[in-house]
Amino acid sequence: LRGVLECTYRRDETPFMPGFVTASMDGRAWGKEMWTRDTGTLLRELALWGWFNHGGLTCDCLTRLVQKNEQGFFTFPEWFSVQPKAGHELDGTCAIVIGMALLWRRLDKASPFRGLIQEFLFSPASPLNYMHQHLQDHPFLPGEGEFGGGMPGQGYSVVQNHLAQYALRLAARLAVAL
C-alpha cells in the first residue's frame, strides 16, 4: 500500500489532480491512466487501513472525472486518462461504490469527504440508481471490460453482478445509517 501511495498516487502534479492513481509508475505503459476497478479496490484498502485523507481525495477525483452515461447516470469507464468520461465498466463502478461506502462509514461526521460521498451515492444520477432502475426490468446488469462479456461491447458477468449485489447491499446499510 505504501508503495502505491509513494509511486502511483498523485497529489498535485499536472496534468493529474489530487487523488488520481496511475496504473503504473511514470514512464511505463499505463503510467498516465487510472483504472477504475483497481482504484475502487485501492479505495477500499485506504478505508480499511485508515488512510482517510487519501481516500477522500480519491473520491473527490473520481466524482470530478466521471460523467453521466447516455441514460443520465454516473457510470465509470474502464479507465481514465485525465479527461472526464462515462462508461459501462460495471466492476469498476461497483468497486468504487463499495470503496466509497466503506470510507463513508469510517470517516468522522465532520469530514467534508463524508458529505461528498453521500451526495454522490444518493443523488438521482448515482450509479446506485442506475443499477436499481436497470434491475426493475432485467434480471442482470450488463457491463464492459475484462470482467464484462470479455469481448468488445457489453455482456453479462457473474463477477460484475456479484459486485453489484454487494454494492447495493452495502449502500442499503449506509442509507439506513443516514
Side-chain angles (χ1 to χ4, degrees), residues 117-141:
I117 293 168
Q118 186 173 322
E119 183 178 325
F120 179 74
L121 291 181
F122 295 106
S123 74
S126 79
L128 294 166
N129 282 330
Y130 163 74
M131 289 184 265
H132 182 263
Q133 180 178 323
H134 186 84
L135 289 169
Q136 298 304 303
D137 300 319
H138 305 87
F140 298 105
L141 293 162

Short mmCIF file of all heavy atoms in Angstrom, two decimals, residues 117-141:
data_model
loop_
_atom_site.label_atom_id
_atom_site.label_comp_id
_atom_site.label_asym_id
_atom_site.label_seq_id
_atom_site.Cartn_x
_atom_site.Cartn_y
_atom_site.Cartn_z
N ILE A 117 -19.28 12.00 -0.54
CA ILE A 117 -19.64 10.61 -0.84
C ILE A 117 -21.15 10.41 -0.75
O ILE A 117 -21.76 9.82 -1.64
CB ILE A 117 -18.90 9.65 0.13
CG1 ILE A 117 -17.40 9.68 -0.14
CG2 ILE A 117 -19.47 8.23 0.02
CD1 ILE A 117 -16.56 9.01 0.93
N GLN A 118 -21.74 10.91 0.30
CA GLN A 118 -23.19 10.77 0.50
C GLN A 118 -23.95 11.41 -0.65
O GLN A 118 -24.89 10.82 -1.19
CB GLN A 118 -23.57 11.40 1.83
CG GLN A 118 -25.00 11.20 2.23
CD GLN A 118 -25.25 11.71 3.64
OE1 GLN A 118 -24.42 11.57 4.52
NE2 GLN A 118 -26.40 12.33 3.82
N GLU A 119 -23.56 12.60 -1.03
CA GLU A 119 -24.24 13.30 -2.13
C GLU A 119 -24.10 12.51 -3.43
O GLU A 119 -25.07 12.37 -4.18
CB GLU A 119 -23.66 14.70 -2.29
CG GLU A 119 -24.35 15.51 -3.37
CD GLU A 119 -23.79 16.91 -3.47
OE1 GLU A 119 -23.42 17.50 -2.44
OE2 GLU A 119 -23.73 17.43 -4.60
N PHE A 120 -22.91 12.00 -3.71
CA PHE A 120 -22.68 11.26 -4.95
C PHE A 120 -23.49 9.96 -4.97
O PHE A 120 -24.17 9.65 -5.95
CB PHE A 120 -21.19 10.96 -5.14
CG PHE A 120 -20.90 10.19 -6.38
CD1 PHE A 120 -20.96 10.80 -7.63
CD2 PHE A 120 -20.60 8.83 -6.32
CE1 PHE A 120 -20.71 10.07 -8.79
CE2 PHE A 120 -20.35 8.10 -7.47
CZ PHE A 120 -20.41 8.72 -8.71
N LEU A 121 -23.41 9.19 -3.89
CA LEU A 121 -24.06 7.88 -3.87
C LEU A 121 -25.58 7.95 -3.85
O LEU A 121 -26.25 7.03 -4.31
CB LEU A 121 -23.57 7.06 -2.68
CG LEU A 121 -22.13 6.58 -2.73
CD1 LEU A 121 -21.80 5.76 -1.50
CD2 LEU A 121 -21.84 5.80 -4.01
N PHE A 122 -26.13 9.04 -3.31
CA PHE A 122 -27.58 9.11 -3.20
C PHE A 122 -28.22 10.19 -4.06
O PHE A 122 -29.38 10.52 -3.89
CB PHE A 122 -27.98 9.24 -1.72
CG PHE A 122 -27.60 8.01 -0.94
CD1 PHE A 122 -26.53 8.02 -0.08
CD2 PHE A 122 -28.29 6.83 -1.13
CE1 PHE A 122 -26.15 6.87 0.61
CE2 PHE A 122 -27.93 5.67 -0.46
CZ PHE A 122 -26.85 5.70 0.41
N SER A 123 -27.46 10.71 -5.02
CA SER A 123 -28.04 11.68 -5.96
C SER A 123 -28.93 10.92 -6.95
O SER A 123 -28.78 9.71 -7.13
CB SER A 123 -26.93 12.41 -6.72
OG SER A 123 -26.34 11.55 -7.68
N PRO A 124 -29.85 11.61 -7.60
CA PRO A 124 -30.71 10.94 -8.59
C PRO A 124 -29.91 10.29 -9.73
O PRO A 124 -30.34 9.30 -10.29
CB PRO A 124 -31.59 12.07 -9.12
CG PRO A 124 -31.63 13.07 -8.02
CD PRO A 124 -30.27 13.00 -7.36
N ALA A 125 -28.72 10.81 -10.04
CA ALA A 125 -27.91 10.29 -11.14
C ALA A 125 -26.85 9.29 -10.67
O ALA A 125 -25.97 8.92 -11.44
CB ALA A 125 -27.24 11.45 -11.87
N SER A 126 -26.95 8.81 -9.45
CA SER A 126 -25.91 7.95 -8.88
C SER A 126 -25.85 6.59 -9.59
O SER A 126 -26.83 6.13 -10.18
CB SER A 126 -26.16 7.72 -7.40
OG SER A 126 -27.17 6.75 -7.21
N PRO A 127 -24.69 5.94 -9.49
CA PRO A 127 -24.57 4.58 -10.03
C PRO A 127 -25.56 3.62 -9.36
O PRO A 127 -26.04 2.69 -10.00
CB PRO A 127 -23.14 4.18 -9.71
CG PRO A 127 -22.40 5.40 -9.34
CD PRO A 127 -23.42 6.41 -8.93
N LEU A 128 -25.86 3.86 -8.10
CA LEU A 128 -26.83 3.00 -7.40
C LEU A 128 -28.21 3.11 -8.04
O LEU A 128 -28.90 2.09 -8.22
CB LEU A 128 -26.91 3.40 -5.93
CG LEU A 128 -25.65 3.16 -5.12
CD1 LEU A 128 -25.72 3.88 -3.78
CD2 LEU A 128 -25.41 1.67 -4.94
N ASN A 129 -28.61 4.32 -8.39
CA ASN A 129 -29.91 4.49 -9.04
C ASN A 129 -29.91 3.89 -10.44
O ASN A 129 -30.93 3.37 -10.90
CB ASN A 129 -30.32 5.96 -9.07
CG ASN A 129 -30.85 6.40 -7.73
OD1 ASN A 129 -31.41 5.62 -6.99
ND2 ASN A 129 -30.65 7.66 -7.41
N TYR A 130 -28.76 3.95 -11.12
CA TYR A 130 -28.64 3.29 -12.43
C TYR A 130 -28.89 1.79 -12.26
O TYR A 130 -29.70 1.19 -12.99
CB TYR A 130 -27.26 3.53 -13.03
CG TYR A 130 -26.95 2.56 -14.14
CD1 TYR A 130 -27.56 2.66 -15.38
CD2 TYR A 130 -26.07 1.49 -13.92
CE1 TYR A 130 -27.30 1.73 -16.39
CE2 TYR A 130 -25.81 0.57 -14.91
CZ TYR A 130 -26.42 0.69 -16.14
OH TYR A 130 -26.18 -0.23 -17.12
N MET A 131 -28.22 1.18 -11.30
CA MET A 131 -28.37 -0.26 -11.09
C MET A 131 -29.81 -0.61 -10.70
O MET A 131 -30.40 -1.56 -11.24
CB MET A 131 -27.39 -0.76 -10.02
CG MET A 131 -25.94 -0.75 -10.49
SD MET A 131 -24.82 -1.45 -9.26
CE MET A 131 -24.27 0.02 -8.43
N HIS A 132 -30.36 0.16 -9.78
CA HIS A 132 -31.72 -0.09 -9.32
C HIS A 132 -32.72 0.02 -10.48
O HIS A 132 -33.59 -0.85 -10.66
CB HIS A 132 -32.08 0.88 -8.20
CG HIS A 132 -33.44 0.65 -7.64
ND1 HIS A 132 -34.54 1.37 -8.05
CD2 HIS A 132 -33.89 -0.26 -6.73
CE1 HIS A 132 -35.60 0.94 -7.40
NE2 HIS A 132 -35.24 -0.05 -6.60
N GLN A 133 -32.59 1.07 -11.26
CA GLN A 133 -33.53 1.26 -12.38
C GLN A 133 -33.41 0.13 -13.39
O GLN A 133 -34.41 -0.41 -13.85
CB GLN A 133 -33.29 2.60 -13.07
CG GLN A 133 -34.25 2.82 -14.24
CD GLN A 133 -34.06 4.17 -14.89
OE1 GLN A 133 -33.80 5.16 -14.24
NE2 GLN A 133 -34.18 4.20 -16.20
N HIS A 134 -32.18 -0.25 -13.73
CA HIS A 134 -31.99 -1.31 -14.71
C HIS A 134 -32.57 -2.64 -14.22
O HIS A 134 -33.18 -3.39 -14.99
CB HIS A 134 -30.50 -1.47 -15.04
CG HIS A 134 -30.26 -2.45 -16.15
ND1 HIS A 134 -30.34 -2.10 -17.48
CD2 HIS A 134 -29.99 -3.78 -16.12
CE1 HIS A 134 -30.12 -3.16 -18.22
NE2 HIS A 134 -29.90 -4.20 -17.42
N LEU A 135 -32.39 -2.92 -12.93
CA LEU A 135 -32.85 -4.19 -12.37
C LEU A 135 -34.37 -4.27 -12.22
O LEU A 135 -34.91 -5.35 -11.97
CB LEU A 135 -32.17 -4.46 -11.03
CG LEU A 135 -30.69 -4.80 -11.14
CD1 LEU A 135 -30.04 -4.79 -9.76
CD2 LEU A 135 -30.48 -6.12 -11.86
N GLN A 136 -35.06 -3.16 -12.41
CA GLN A 136 -36.53 -3.20 -12.38
C GLN A 136 -37.08 -3.99 -13.56
O GLN A 136 -38.15 -4.60 -13.45
CB GLN A 136 -37.11 -1.77 -12.40
CG GLN A 136 -36.72 -0.93 -11.20
CD GLN A 136 -37.09 -1.58 -9.89
OE1 GLN A 136 -38.25 -1.89 -9.64
NE2 GLN A 136 -36.10 -1.81 -9.05
N ASP A 137 -36.36 -3.98 -14.69
CA ASP A 137 -36.85 -4.64 -15.90
C ASP A 137 -35.96 -5.78 -16.40
O ASP A 137 -36.32 -6.43 -17.39
CB ASP A 137 -36.96 -3.60 -17.03
CG ASP A 137 -37.92 -2.47 -16.68
OD1 ASP A 137 -38.98 -2.75 -16.10
OD2 ASP A 137 -37.58 -1.31 -16.96
N HIS A 138 -34.82 -5.98 -15.76
CA HIS A 138 -33.87 -7.00 -16.22
C HIS A 138 -33.33 -7.79 -15.02
O HIS A 138 -33.12 -7.20 -13.97
CB HIS A 138 -32.69 -6.35 -16.96
CG HIS A 138 -33.11 -5.48 -18.09
ND1 HIS A 138 -33.43 -4.14 -17.93
CD2 HIS A 138 -33.27 -5.75 -19.40
CE1 HIS A 138 -33.76 -3.64 -19.11
NE2 HIS A 138 -33.68 -4.59 -20.01
N PRO A 139 -33.05 -9.06 -15.20
CA PRO A 139 -32.55 -9.84 -14.07
C PRO A 139 -31.07 -9.61 -13.75
O PRO A 139 -30.63 -9.89 -12.63
CB PRO A 139 -32.78 -11.29 -14.51
CG PRO A 139 -32.77 -11.25 -16.00
CD PRO A 139 -33.33 -9.90 -16.37
N PHE A 140 -30.31 -9.09 -14.71
CA PHE A 140 -28.88 -8.88 -14.51
C PHE A 140 -28.46 -7.53 -15.08
O PHE A 140 -29.16 -6.95 -15.91
CB PHE A 140 -28.05 -9.97 -15.21
CG PHE A 140 -28.32 -11.34 -14.67
CD1 PHE A 140 -29.09 -12.24 -15.39
CD2 PHE A 140 -27.82 -11.73 -13.44
CE1 PHE A 140 -29.35 -13.50 -14.91
CE2 PHE A 140 -28.07 -12.99 -12.93
CZ PHE A 140 -28.84 -13.88 -13.67
N LEU A 141 -27.29 -7.08 -14.64
CA LEU A 141 -26.72 -5.83 -15.14
C LEU A 141 -25.64 -6.15 -16.17
O LEU A 141 -24.80 -7.02 -15.94
CB LEU A 141 -26.08 -5.05 -13.99
CG LEU A 141 -27.05 -4.52 -12.95
CD1 LEU A 141 -26.31 -4.17 -11.66
CD2 LEU A 141 -27.76 -3.30 -13.50
#
